[in-house]
Amino acid sequence: MATYADAQELTALRSLSASIGRSPHLTQAAGGNTSLKSGDTLWIKASGTWLKDAVTDDIMVPVAMAPLLRAVEQRDSAAEQPQIFAIEALNARKLRPSIETTVHALMPQRVVLHVHCVDTISLAVQADCEAEVARRLEGLEWAYVPYRRPGLPLAQGIAERLRPGVDVLILANHGLVVAAETVAEAEILLRRVTLLLARPARQVVEADIAALTALAGSSGYKLPADIEAHAVAIDPESCRMAAAGSLYPDHVIFLGRGSVLAKPGEDVPGVTGRCGTAPMAILFPGLGVLMRGDASAGANAMQRCLADVTARVDVAAKLNYLTAAENDELINWDAEKYRQKLNAASN
Ligand SMILES: [Zn+2]
């Protein structure tokens, strides 16, 4: 740390990060990340670590910012591997910086918070997102960034939209970024923006646990970790939205392409037989959700996220889904394979 004041800010950021990480409405699993600039060093959450562990574990990695920004500017593929820019002398745990490090480096403010806020995502999947957010964030300096894969493509998308003074980014089919000069100011801005973007969730009846247990039989499929995850299958509108494809990157990374729905009367062996694979999650319309026996904590968190997001989407809105090519580039992405490996190891 360059100064005592920076060290204090990093402590404050770790505490704020842990509280963000404890809210499933702001971040799920290893998603979301936070950073602090100290001189030319960017302290950023490590890839595959969970924000909720920011106080108990050392999850912040120091990165040399100037060469990373140069790589982004020159469209150098090195910007896809932020670990190249990690300052190894200060990186005792040999962690890799988040694949979203470039998002943080591009923002000029000292403190950057990037969250997968479910209210924001629910707006960011709607085709009318920009107009709806403009109405809600009137008076704020914000920018809308069209969907790009996280990493260098997203960094370039942000660079194209960034204007002086912008401290809020709405990332289409992805999430929210807020930035400020201090941790305290960033926390206030995050609270303000998430309140302005908040939307009520459609309420559903309870999951039919007895029916789900019977449908699982001896397949090894289990109830999801969070009871809230069932809502996506119970609410017909949410179910329709989920059935039509993948809405944001972490869904694809942790759960695979789109969602698999059981047909009326179909049990787990029926679904896996028809699909020829065992999907990470199966939605049983009107009843609830079952997760594959080896579903990680990350997969469970993402399944709940899908319920929380779709329950907030305007039922009349046209939705933007990830294209087949966008699904493919997430599934075949080396940086994500690393993050999933860490995720599996932590369960
Ligand atoms: Zn993200």
Side-chain angles (χ1 to χ4, degrees), residues 301-314:
M302 291 318 302
Q303 191 59 42
R304 169 168 179 187
C305 180
L306 183 64
D308 289 341
V309 167
T310 51
R312 287 168 168 77
V313 173
D314 178 352

Side-chain angles (χ1 to χ4, degrees), residues 202-208 212 215 223-224 226-243 251 259-263 281-291 303-311:
R202 290 186 305 283
Q203 298 301 308
V204 294
V205 298
E206 279 179 26
D208 190 336
L212 289 168
L215 290 164
L223 294 168
D226 290 351
I227 196 121
E228 291 86 350
H230 293 293
V232 66
I234 298 168
D235 181 85
E237 296 289 354
S238 295
C239 210
R240 169 184 62 82
M241 293 171 198
H251 176 94
S259 294
V260 172
L261 273 67
K263 295 193 158 118
I282 303 173
L283 278 56
F284 292 88
L287 302 175
V289 172
L290 287 172
M291 304 294 296
Q303 191 59 42
R304 169 168 179 187
C305 180
L306 183 64
D308 289 341
V309 167
T310 51

Side-chain angles (χ1 to χ4, degrees), residues 141-160:
E141 286 295 333
W142 68 283
Y144 174 79
V145 181
Y147 177 77
R148 300 270 198 293
R149 171 174 71 67
L152 188 52
L154 178 58
Q156 282 163 353
I158 291 172
E160 284 164 21

